[in-house]
């Protein structure tokens, strides 16, 4: 509780350093590694299916306002999460209140996540799922590069390779179909 009370007093650089120290500690695996891989694969599959289905729902009625469509899609997740919150943390909420522990960083996270959700819904409604994936990949690259001057996180070889990979995949995706035909025939 004392550590949680001082989190709001730490700078972003100190918070990142604390998180990185915690993340690199070797921790025993509570489950077999193959089960973890299976869970990650299942999570990836469900995420992909949900994104495609969300895109279908948003594009099925292009005339409907995007905020109304968001409300229709997310209302079920909202009440399910409220139910889980009351079951898991109900006593703490009754004792300390719903907003106990929310500081500037928590509210900034809520605002950023809400804005990100609106942007992703707009991408799915007016563009496609590939644009959403590229937007997420580019945003991660921007965060990685911005972490260097802001937090002193070095840009590793893995980060450099991932930036090049994302950039090359974007170039390849946006090449005209004639490029593929000409390349296969050896036309320069």
């Amino acid at each position: 509780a004392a550590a949680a009370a001082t989190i709001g007093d730490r700078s972003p650089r100190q918070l990142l350093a604390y998180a990185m120290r915690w993340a690199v500690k070797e921790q025993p695996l509570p489950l077999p590694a193959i089960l973890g891989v299976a869970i990650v694969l299942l999570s990836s599959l469900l995420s992909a299916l949900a994104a495609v289905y969300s895109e279908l729902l948003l594009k099925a009625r292009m005339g409907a306002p995007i905020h109304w469509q968001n409300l229709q899609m997310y209302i079920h997740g909202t009440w399910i999460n409220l139910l889980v919150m009351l079951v898991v943390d109900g006593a703490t909420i009754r004792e300390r209140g719903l907003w106990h522990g929310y500081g500037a960083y928590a509210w900034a996270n809520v605002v950023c996540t809400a804005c990100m959700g609106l942007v992703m819904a707009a991408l799915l409604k007016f563009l496609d799922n590939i644009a959403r994936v590229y937007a997420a990949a580019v945003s991660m690259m921007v965060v990685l590069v911005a972490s260097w001057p802001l937090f002193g996180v070095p840009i590793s070889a893995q980060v450099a390779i991932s930036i090049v990979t994302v950039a090359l995949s974007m170039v390849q995706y946006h090449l005209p179909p004639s490029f593929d035909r000409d390349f296969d025939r050896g036309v320069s």
Side-chain angles (χ1 to χ4, degrees):
T6 62
I7 285 179
D9 300 333
R10 295 182 185 181
S11 70
R13 186 180 296 247
Q14 291 170 326
L15 287 173
L16 182 65
Y18 172 77
M20 289 175 67
R21 278 195 308 273
W22 179 83
V24 297
K25 289 181 183 174
E26 186 174 327
Q27 300 181 17
L29 294 174
L31 299 171
I34 190 70
L35 181 60
V37 170
I39 290 171
V40 167
L41 291 174
L42 178 65
S43 174
S44 299
L45 174 68
L46 293 177
S47 176
L49 291 174
V52 171
Y53 187 65
S54 294
E55 182 179 3
L56 173 73
L57 290 176
L58 285 167
K59 288 185 176 178
R61 296 184 338 173
M62 286 299 285
I66 193 168
H67 298 304
W68 174 244
Q69 289 179 313
N70 278 339
L71 180 69
Q72 289 175 322
M73 284 196 310
Y74 299 121
I75 193 72
H76 301 295
T78 302
W79 70 262
I80 290 170
N81 282 307
L82 283 173
L83 182 66
V84 170
M85 178 187 71
L86 291 174
V87 169
V88 173
D89 295 322
T92 305
I93 291 170
R94 283 188 292 280
E95 180 182 318
R96 298 181 180 170
L98 182 61
W99 309 113
H100 175 74
Y102 269 61
Y105 292 125
W107 283 111
N109 187 18
V110 168
V111 169
C112 286
T113 304
C115 291
M116 185 177 66
L118 292 173
V119 168
M120 289 301 162
L123 282 172
L124 286 175
K125 181 167 180 142
F126 300 112
L127 295 174
D128 60 10
N129 205 21
I130 298 295
R132 180 193 65 84
V133 170
Y134 277 127
V138 169
S139 70
M140 283 189 280
M141 298 304 120
V142 168
V143 167
L144 289 170
V145 171
S147 294
W148 174 53
L150 293 175
F151 305 116
V153 175
I155 296 179
S156 65
Q158 292 92 342
V159 171
I161 290 169
S162 65
I163 290 171
V164 170
T165 303
V166 168
L168 289 176
S169 71
M170 288 179 70
V171 168
Q172 183 182 12
Y173 179 74
H174 289 94
L175 287 174
S178 61
F179 180 85
D180 285 337
R181 286 190 303 272
D182 293 344
F183 185 80
D184 290 341
R185 286 184 290 181
V187 177
S188 54

